[in-house]
Structures are given as structure tokens and as C-alpha cells.
Amino acid sequence: MRKLIVLGLAWLACVSVACTQAPKNVAGGEIVPNGVWNDVDSAYINAHGGGILYHGGTYYWFGEHRPAEGFSTKVGVNCYSSADLCNWKYEGVALSVSDKAGDDIEVGCIMERPKVIYNVPTKKFVMWFHLELKGRGYEAARAAVAVSDTPAGPYRLVRSGRVNPGQYPQNMTEEERALNLKTEDYAEWWTPEWRKAVEKGLFVKRDLEGGQMSRDMTLYVDDDGKAYHIYSSEENLTLHIAELTDDYQRHTGRYIRIFPGGHNEAPAIFKHNGTYWMITSGCTGWEPNEARMFSAPSIWGPWTQHPNPMVGEGADKTFGGQSTFVLPLSKDNFVFMADVWKPKSLMYSAYIWLPVQFKEDGTPFIEWKNRWNLHFD
Ligand code: GAL
């Protein structure tokens, strides 16, 4: 009998550890950043570099399925659903890799940072993600788009490629367009001359014909229904903001470059009281670095840089994480989402979700919390 009681107590202890480590508390909606986040079937949530779509009263979390060992994509883009952002049900693979040799999304490619938005006119769910082709490292730097009639998928790849071939950014001056900048004249990187040439559009020109590079990315749908693709371009040195067509499946050709040579990755964007805010990371691969923040009165700018929005201990390294998305819950209530990358076993990379707070002057800031409760008002 005593043995049974001891066993019972041990079991209770295990269950309560699981509960405190996983954000499962519906009533309290408790989030434990950087804890062990399991789905309702107690499987580790595998949805990295992700974003969340709110549709029909349900949150859909899309993210990279990452293997426990190795690097490239073996499965595809995962989807989880939840009514409360705490209890996540695995919906399966929203977009699967292809087993056909030569396909853009052939198994062994790299799919990163998927984001999904809903297109009202076509009633389609539209996913964009960063795609690298199998066996080519990170050189392809493509944007890919996939669609589905239902939120959780299955999604079908529409196409992948570089962005806006033949189009100059709106905010590149006539003088800059006329410059004869050639990469062979700037073979050595990081020199002052090279930096100046990058700022003036060295890589925009190099890639003009074939289209601009697109790696870390996010999507944003504005109040007027227009959608934008925001991505690290020009060898990850410069961010681009590009308008999507009304069906969200193509680029219109209208885009701007912001902070040329600023080396921004992992963009996450939201709008509060009419101001657009963007949080990014620096470029240090899987290693965390200091976040950056920018604001603008219009998506087309002018964009202004602010100090690091993270506050308190660990702020200089984004608490060990890298931004991926900012989820709006209501007018004044936003959740900052980041990944804590574990390159030795990417599947077990962890999640940091923290509330976005606002100073009196309206500037957002984010401070570490060991645990906190979601609210939806
Ligand atoms: C990071 C980037 C990730 C992934 C990684 C690969 O800088 O944000 O999305 O591309 O590099 O090393």
C-alpha cells in the first residue's frame, strides 16, 4: 500500500511538472517562456520561425518542422491550432516537402519562417516562406508561395523564386539607379567603399535582372486589406518591404529598401495607434544578438530606428531568442514571439513569448517574465 502511495505521489509530481512547463492553463492562460512546450498529446511543439493566423475564432500556429538531428527540411511546414494560445492541437503538416527529385520543395531543401494570411476576395489561405533549394546551401534565397482552401492545409506550392525581377525599389533615387556599381569592383567586403556601394544599391543592381534575394521574412496585412512581404535581401544586408497583389500570391513590383547595410534579420511587424513598429535581430546565425526596433507613420516610411526594445537582464541578447512574429490579440495587446535556437537539435529549439508593453509616449518595450498570463482584451 505504501508503495502504491509513493508511486501515486511520484506520478502527481510528474504531471504537475509537465503542467508548469507547458502552457496548458486554459483558465489562467499561463505562458512560461523558454519552457518545454508540448501539444495536447504531450508531443514537443515543432513549429519554429513561425507565425500565427487568427481565423474563425481559432489560432493557427505555422512553423518550421525541424529534425531532432540534422539541418535541412525533411517534413515541411507544421500547423497547430488552439482556441486559447495555450492548448495546441497538432493539425499535421500544412505544406509537405516533395519526394520528386528536382522539385523546388524536394525533401532536403530548407523551408524557413513560414507565415500565413487569409485572402478575402479569393477565400484562400496564402502561405509565404523562405526557400533554399536542395544541396545549394543558402545561395538560392527564394521566396515561395503556397495556397490552401482551408487554414490547416494541405497547402499546394504555387511557385518560388527571387522577388520583383527587373524592378528598382521605389526609394532608390534616379542618381543611384544611374550609378555603374559592379560587384567585381568591390571584391573585398566590409571596407568603407564597399559599405558605401551597398548603401547605394550594389546588390540591388547585381540582382536586378534575376530578382532580389529573399531570406528571413514575414507578412503583414494592413487595415485596407493590402498585404506586404518584408524580407532580408541583398545578402541579408538590407530589408525590403514589397507590396503583394490583391490575391496575395504575387509581388506588384512596388517595394522599398530600408536601412541599407543595416544587417537586419527576423522581421516582425505590428501597428499600434496608427504607427507601424518593426522588431528585427542582427545577423549572427543561430546565436542570439541584440534586437533592433524601427517605426514609421506609413508602411512606405520614413522608417526611424529606436533603441533595443528589450529591457532588463538578458536584453542585450533578446533573452536568448530571435524575433519571429508579433501577434495582435486586441487593439492594445500584442504578444512578441521569438525562437531560442538549439543548433545541435533544432527540433528542440524553444519558444519565448512575452507581452509587448508601451511607455507613456507610445514606444513599445518587452521585459522578461518567468511566467505570465495571457489576456485577450
Ligand atoms: C538565422 C536566421 C534563421 C536561419 C539561420 C540559419 O540568422 O534568422 O532563420 O536562416 O540563420 O543559420
Side-chain angles (χ1 to χ4, degrees):
M1 185 64 191
R2 258 185 71 190
K3 214 169 163 187
L4 266 182
I5 292 171
V6 170
L7 273 176
L9 284 174
W11 178 81
L12 265 177
C14 284
V15 169
S16 69
V17 166
C19 288
T20 54
Q21 286 184 335
K24 274 193 174 178
N25 184 342
V26 195
E30 190 176 60
I31 296 288
V32 183
N34 212 359
V36 174
W37 289 22
N38 290 333
D39 65 17
V40 291
D41 296 317
S42 303
Y44 196 83
I45 295 180
N46 198 339
H48 309 285
I52 290 181
L53 165 78
Y54 184 60
H55 188 83
T58 300
Y59 294 96
Y60 295 90
W61 178 359
F62 297 88
E64 303 157 12
H65 175 286
R66 289 286 190 172
E69 275 173 43
F71 179 80
S72 62
T73 306
K74 305 201 169 46
V75 173
V77 173
N78 261 349
C79 178
Y80 295 82
S81 67
S82 172
D84 56 17
L85 295 173
C86 286
N87 294 278
W88 290 99
K89 176 175 168 263
Y90 184 46
E91 294 283 348
V93 185
L95 175 69
S96 294
V97 290
S98 155
D99 46 24
K100 205 165 134 228
D103 273 2
D104 288 5
I105 54 170
E106 179 183 356
V107 59
C109 67
I110 302 170
M111 292 179 179
E112 288 185 349
R113 298 190 177 268
K115 307 287 178 298
V116 173
I117 51 182
Y118 178 63
N119 184 258
V120 176
T122 60
K123 297 195 174 62
K124 294 223 183 287
F125 296 86
V126 184
M127 176 192 290
W128 284 84
F129 60 99
H130 165 205
L131 175 69
E132 295 295 347
L133 301 176
K134 183 182 176 181
R136 285 176 47 187
Y138 272 79
E139 72 159 18
R142 288 191 183 193
V145 56
V147 294
S148 167
D149 293 326
T150 49
Y155 285 74
R156 171 183 62 81
L157 184 75
V158 177
R159 106 187 64 78
S160 81
R162 292 280 180 93
V163 176
N164 282 326
Q167 306 287 339
Y168 272 118
Q170 304 268 305
N171 60 348
M172 206 163 148
T173 62
E174 287 302 328
E175 190 202 359
E176 285 167 344
R177 292 178 198 204
L179 290 173
N180 186 20
L181 295 172
K182 294 200 280 308
T183 40
E184 50 275 31
D185 296 339
Y186 299 91
E188 195 186 334
W189 283 36
W190 312 112
T191 63
E193 300 74 39
W194 176 88
R195 278 183 197 279
K196 199 146 201 161
V198 167
E199 278 169 34
K200 298 269 179 211
L202 177 68
F203 293 116
V204 173
K205 282 177 173 276
R206 183 196 66 185
D207 294 336
L208 190 65
E209 209 182 300
Q212 302 298 317
M213 299 176 103
S214 174
R215 292 203 183 109
D216 279 11
M217 56 142 281
T218 195
L219 299 176
Y220 180 70
V221 181
D222 213 336
D223 305 333
D224 61 2
K226 282 238 172 284
Y228 301 89
H229 176 211
I230 300 154
Y231 52 95
S232 300
S233 192
E234 304 178 35
E235 304 287 352
N236 295 349
L237 287 156
T238 302
L239 283 171
H240 289 186
I241 301 180
E243 186 183 64
L244 296 178
T245 51
D246 288 347
D247 65 0
Y248 301 167
Q249 294 182 33
R250 288 179 181 277
H251 296 92
T252 62
R254 191 172 181 216
Y255 71 106
I256 56 168
R257 44 199 305 259
I258 60 170
F259 302 99
H263 237 169
N264 287 289
E265 281 197 325
I269 184 171
F270 63 105
K271 185 155 79 170
H272 185 238
N273 290 341
T275 298
Y276 297 78
W277 294 96
M278 180 150 50
I279 297 174
T280 68
S281 74
C283 258
T284 52
W286 304 121
E287 289 301 314
N289 55 49
E290 190 173 65
R292 294 98 179 268
M293 185 167 70
F294 310 92
S295 73
S298 150
I299 193 93
W300 299 114
W303 286 89
T304 309
Q305 182 153 11
H306 299 262
N308 175 9
M310 309 297 150
V311 182
E313 208 185 319
D316 60 333
K317 291 277 190 294
T318 319
F319 317 115
Q322 184 186 28
S323 43
T324 185
F325 198 70
V326 173
L327 173 67
L329 296 182
S330 66
K331 197 177 127 315
D332 296 313
N333 187 1
F334 301 84
V335 180
F336 170 74
M337 297 167 52
D339 298 282
V340 180
W341 297 110
K342 308 262 166 78
K344 288 200 181 117
S345 185
L346 280 169
M347 170 178 163
Y348 292 102
S349 299
Y351 309 101
I352 288 179
W353 289 9
L354 291 166
V356 176
Q357 301 179 69
F358 294 93
K359 295 184 192 162
E360 253 170 45
D361 69 359
T363 309
F365 68 98
I366 295 158
E367 61 185 357
W368 177 258
K369 293 182 187 303
N370 288 331
R371 47 203 331 125
W372 58 285
N373 285 299
L374 283 160
H375 62 98
F376 292 84
D377 49 6

